[in-house]
Amino acid sequence: MKTAVAFRHVPFEDLGTLADTLHSLGYECRYIDTPVESFAHLDPQAADLLVVLGGPIGAYQQAIYPFLNDELRHIRERLAHGKPVLGICLGAQLIARALEAEVAPMGVTEIGYAPLTLTPGEHSDLLAPLADLPVLHWHGDRFAIPQGSSHLARSAVCDNQAFLYAPHALALQFHPEVSAIGLEGWLVGHASELSHAGIDPRQLREQAAQYSPALAAALSQVISRWLAPLAS
C-alpha cells in the first residue's frame, strides 16, 4: 500500500474528506503533529505523498514557531527530488516559501464560501471539477506564484488561490477538504477570530451543509487527476 504523511498543525484542521479520497486511491494515511513531534527520524523521501495542512499561523513566522524550519527543509527536499507534495492554506504558503516566493499578509481576511475563477492555460483542466462550486476560504495571508509554476485560480478577494509546480507540487490556498461535520471543530477552534471578524458561525454551518457533499466529490476528482500521472 502507498503511504501518505500529513503535516498537521492543529487537531481540527485535518485531512477531512481528503482522507477518504486517498484511501480509495490506495494510500495509508498517518499524521505528524509538527508543533510537538520530532523530525529526527523522518525521511523526507520515504512517503509516496506529503500533505501539508492548514493552521492559524504565518508561513514566515519561523522565529516564533521554529518547527516551521523543519517543515520547509522537508518540503524543499521532496520538491528537489520530484516527490509529490500537496499543500492546503498554510501548507500551500509553505510550498511557496520553499520555492523562494513571498508570503505576506493581504491586509484583509477572507473567510467563508465563495467561488473560484480558474485560470486558462495548460493545466486549466486540473481544477475544473471545482469551477462552479463555492469553496471554503479561511486566510489572511497571500502567496506569490513561484517561478516556474502555473497559476491555477483566483477569487474575488485574493488573486493567487492555487498553483502547480513541475508537476509534483499542488498548492491550494482554499479548503476543499472540510466536511460539514468537520467544520464544527473549526467554528469552536476559531471562535475568537470569527467574533472579531463579525461572522456568524450559523451562516458558515448552513453553507457547509449545502456545499460540502459536492466539494468532496469534486476534490476526489481533482486529486485523482493530479496523482494519476505521478504514480505511473
Side-chain angles (χ1 to χ4, degrees):
M1 179 173 280
K2 294 173 287 189
T3 57
V5 167
F7 285 176
R8 181 169 56 183
H9 305 100
V10 288
F12 57 85
E13 294 200 30
D14 58 17
L15 288 167
T17 63
L18 180 58
D20 293 332
T21 293
L22 293 177
H23 289 151
S24 72
L25 294 174
Y27 287 85
E28 180 181 3
C29 302
R30 72 182 182 99
Y31 289 102
I32 303 293
D33 290 306
T34 56
V36 296
E37 293 191 41
S38 172
F39 283 72
H41 303 292
L42 190 62
D43 181 356
Q45 298 187 56
D48 295 290
L49 171 66
L50 172 65
V51 183
V52 188
L53 295 167
I57 60 176
Y60 42 81
Q61 291 184 307
Q62 298 102 304
I64 303 174
Y65 306 105
F67 70 87
L68 290 175
N69 289 308
D70 293 318
E71 290 199 37
L72 286 165
R73 175 181 52 80
H74 200 96
I75 293 167
R76 287 189 185 105
E77 184 164 338
R78 286 188 65 88
L79 293 175
H81 288 86
K83 303 287 288 185
V85 184
L86 170 65
I88 298 176
C89 199
L90 172 60
Q93 296 163 11
L94 287 167
I95 293 176
R97 290 214 66 214
L99 293 169
E100 307 300 327
E102 182 185 32
V103 177
M106 294 193 299
V108 296
T109 300
E110 184 178 25
I111 299 177
Y113 285 83
L116 301 168
T117 298
L118 304 188
T119 308
E122 180 183 359
H123 302 289
S124 59
D125 62 328
L126 182 57
L127 299 188
L130 294 166
D132 298 318
L133 282 172
V135 299
L136 178 61
H137 304 274
W138 204 308
H139 68 112
D141 289 342
R142 169 193 177 275
F143 54 69
I145 301 298
Q147 185 174 359
S149 301
S150 298
H151 185 285
L152 298 181
R154 59 176 44 86
S155 69
V157 176
C158 181
D159 56 345
N160 294 337
Q161 283 285 346
F163 67 83
L164 181 70
Y165 174 77
H168 52 281
L170 177 60
L172 307 176
Q173 178 59 69
F174 53 95
H175 289 275
E177 82 285 3
V178 182
S179 66
I181 188 64
L183 183 69
E184 293 300 324
W186 291 58
L187 299 181
V188 175
H190 293 307
S192 178
E193 182 180 19
L194 291 174
S195 177
H196 181 74
I199 296 173
D200 188 337
R202 292 170 293 188
Q203 180 181 8
L204 293 177
R205 182 179 291 120
E206 291 174 0
Q207 292 174 319
Q210 180 178 357
Y211 301 125
S212 291
L215 281 170
L219 176 62
S220 182
Q221 293 180 59
V222 169
I223 298 303
S224 297
R225 289 182 183 189
W226 172 56
L227 287 176
L230 302 179
S232 60

